[in-house]
Amino acid sequence: MAVDRISKARPFLAWTARMWSAIALTMLVGGCLVLQRRSGSLPSARTPIDAVGRQERAECGREEGNKGYLPPCPATPPGLQGKLEVREDISLEETVKELADGVRVGGSWSPPQCLPRWKIAIIVPFRDRQSQVGPFLYHMHKFLQRQQLNYTIYIVEQEGTDLFNRARLLNVGYLQALTDGPFDCYAFHDIDMLPEDDRHLYHCSPQPRHLAVAASNQNYRSSHSLAYNKYFGGACLMTQEHLARVNGWSNIYWGWGGEDDDMWRRLSFENIPVWRFPASVARYKTIKHDPQTVNKKRYQTLQRNTGRYPHDGLSTIKYVIKSRVSHPLYTYILANIGTPPKPLT
Ligand code: UDP
Ligand code: MN
């Protein structure tokens, strides 16, 4: 009798178990779909499609490394300090000692407690400014971590002693970052510009953002109010889509000046407006240094850009990566980016 009851009960138990697993599966899939729809509709105006996709995958627990469920980071990071002190004197060694523990080798970081809203690459053109590396990394890691961003810092050095070509280095840094990416957006960031207020959020936006609105070496005069409101130098943020539309940066500016104005032109030819935060928060402390050789031909070169950018930029740059090393707080790239024409054109 007892045996009989058990054997009758078995199919029932199996059926109940199947029911419950079906219900659980439906709830899981349904939950993911709801999350997808929710995260797809809420930030749509500000969020690039691939960022939404990444967020959904992670929320559904399928992100690489599957750390399990993490709530999205809040829109306003909770630990912001507002005005910041800038330490110009800190060495790279001290910086590594203090910060390297929490940062992945190669200079990447992601908040452990929440799912970051943005994944961003910081690309820094570089040569012969060794004393600025410590202060920059010390300041920027802390700044970006308080903003709960997922980021990687790339320092891209020009090989040799020819005239400096900032824009070529930015193109190279971008292409190198893409191989680790995609990132939601890319910050092109001078090494001597340190943001003075962490409410200046390095979030990605549908329009390119000029970041360095007011700088100490300009007595904080705002690029909004200057006659020269087309200023796009110092530091800016762009998405892959923006960069594709303008073909990245021009390759033909050697020496100081012109390449940032050229980018402004590219954006205006494409009817892409630039956003800026108010000068009260978009403030930068600049580190003093010797001036680089000025490009006296820069205005002529700029005037010649009446739409030639499809033939000068990411599509045409030639370079050789001489070295790529993951340091504790940054990815270092040494590139041969060619030589300037003589005389400059
Ligand atoms: N830079 C560099 N070494 C140089 C010249 C320039 O590393 O010899 C990089 C560095 O990131 C610097 C940026 O290019 O912040 C812009 O150049 P610079 O500071 O000379 O221009 P400024 O904006 O001060 O006129
Ligand atoms: Mn400078």
Side-chain angles (χ1 to χ4, degrees), residues 62 84 150 168 202 324:
R62 278 184 250 124
L84 306 172
N150 177 349
R168 282 195 189 206
Y202 279 26
R324 182 178 157 132

Side-chain angles (χ1 to χ4, degrees), residues 130-290:
Q130 204 52 44
S131 63
Q132 297 178 2
V133 176
F136 178 81
L137 292 173
Y138 185 82
H139 195 78
M140 293 309 294
H141 277 289
K142 290 179 159 229
F143 175 86
L144 297 164
Q145 288 177 13
R146 274 201 303 278
Q147 296 193 358
Q148 297 187 316
L149 294 162
N150 177 349
Y151 66 84
T152 303
I153 298 182
Y154 297 87
I155 296 188
V156 193
E157 177 165 0
Q158 176 173 344
E159 189 190 52
T161 53
D162 280 315
L163 288 168
F164 194 68
N165 190 321
R166 177 174 177 266
R168 282 195 189 206
L169 293 172
L170 299 182
N171 279 339
V172 170
Y174 168 66
L175 292 171
Q176 285 288 303
L178 266 187
T179 66
D180 304 332
F183 292 84
D184 297 322
C185 62
Y186 301 80
F188 300 103
H189 212 295
D190 285 0
I191 200 161
D192 55 8
M193 309 271 320
L194 305 178
E196 289 186 59
D197 193 312
D198 59 11
R199 291 169 296 178
H200 189 21
L201 298 175
Y202 279 26
H203 286 184
C204 306
S205 47
Q207 307 304 343
R209 269 175 60 204
H210 179 228
L211 297 170
V213 176
S216 61
N217 63 351
Q218 301 289 324
N219 292 322
Y220 299 105
R221 274 177 307 158
S222 152
S223 7
H224 294 277
S225 60
L226 289 176
Y228 181 45
N229 79 340
K230 296 177 177 159
Y231 180 54
F232 201 61
C236 63
L237 264 178
M238 296 172 74
T239 63
Q240 191 171 342
E241 189 202 330
H242 304 140
L243 288 153
R245 279 178 64 184
V246 299
N247 194 17
W249 298 80
S250 169
N251 295 314
I252 60 176
Y253 293 85
W254 296 91
W256 183 91
E259 83 294 342
D260 43 0
D261 300 324
D262 192 286
M263 176 54 86
W264 181 278
R265 266 195 181 218
R266 287 169 186 241
L267 293 169
S268 30
F269 280 130
E270 287 291 321
N271 292 315
I272 305 178
V274 167
W275 285 3
R276 289 192 181 113
F277 272 24
S280 51
V281 290
R283 286 164 71 88
Y284 286 76
K285 179 99 206 312
T286 55
I287 305 177
K288 288 206 175 69
H289 56 78
D290 294 335

